[in-house]
Amino acid sequence: MLLAVPAGAQVFRWTDSQGRVHYGDRPPQQEKAKPVDTGRMDTSTTGERSGDVTVHPTEVEWFAIRGTTRDHMRASMQHTAPYSERRGSRVWGQCQWDIKWKFKHRREPGSCRIGEVRLDVTATMKLPRWVDEDQGNAQLRAQWNDFSRRLRQHEDGHKNNGIAAARDLVRRLKGLGEFPSCELLDAEIRRQGERVISEYQQLDLAFDRVDLLYLTGF
């Protein structure tokens, strides 16, 4: 099934009157929204370190797809593919990214500020592996290879959102000023981390709605 692409399908970023950042494919008319170029970073480098952010190799969990026709393969997917609570159905692929951060305090008499910051980005993907590929005809193998390639690109796009979140968090943490105590600083660091993760989870949802429109369902 080839999904139609609405004209102007795009992810946007905007800030509300409370200063909170939002991502979505349908920004409010009254807000000024800027387009976001999602899923374009290269995540192929293993153990990539860029400044204060280390991107670890993706862990892939494969699930088996069986059959020698598209109908049989789709039926197999309904038994072996991961289940998405948000979609309420099984999906061809999933990506879960996570950010861990470490930092050091810079203590001064009567004040505390953030010093060295280190963030680690990890990602786990669930992707299909066609175990009966050697029994399929040439046309079906070509269709599957093309679909698998585009599916991996899409899931890599989700990992890229996690990388962008980590880089954004570094920028925000380095922008924090002095605090009367390290306890107050730690509380603000946790708040910033929770806010950034929440924002980029919104980006993931919008990215799904927009980017899946460009995928040919298998």
Side-chain angles (χ1 to χ4, degrees), residues 188-207:
E188 179 61 19
I189 290 172
R190 287 193 296 271
R191 190 180 73 84
Q192 291 289 343
E194 291 169 358
R195 171 178 283 190
V196 167
I197 290 173
S198 175
E199 291 172 2
Y200 281 83
Q201 287 174 342
Q202 292 181 47
L203 176 58
D204 264 340
L205 295 177
F207 175 65

Side-chain angles (χ1 to χ4, degrees), residues 98-114:
D98 187 45
I99 300 173
K100 303 292 186 185
W101 60 85
K102 300 178 181 178
F103 58 91
K104 294 181 178 180
H105 295 122
R106 289 174 54 189
R107 301 175 186 269
E108 302 277 341
S111 70
C112 184
R113 63 187 307 154
I114 197 165

Side-chain angles (χ1 to χ4, degrees), residues 44 80 100 107 155 179 189:
S44 60
T80 60
K100 303 292 186 185
R107 301 175 186 269
E155 301 306 334
F179 284 73
I189 290 172

Side-chain angles (χ1 to χ4, degrees), residues 128-141:
R129 174 173 285 161
W130 183 19
V131 297
D132 295 330
E133 183 172 3
D134 59 342
Q135 301 178 40
N137 61 46
Q139 182 181 13
L140 187 61
R141 289 199 303 269

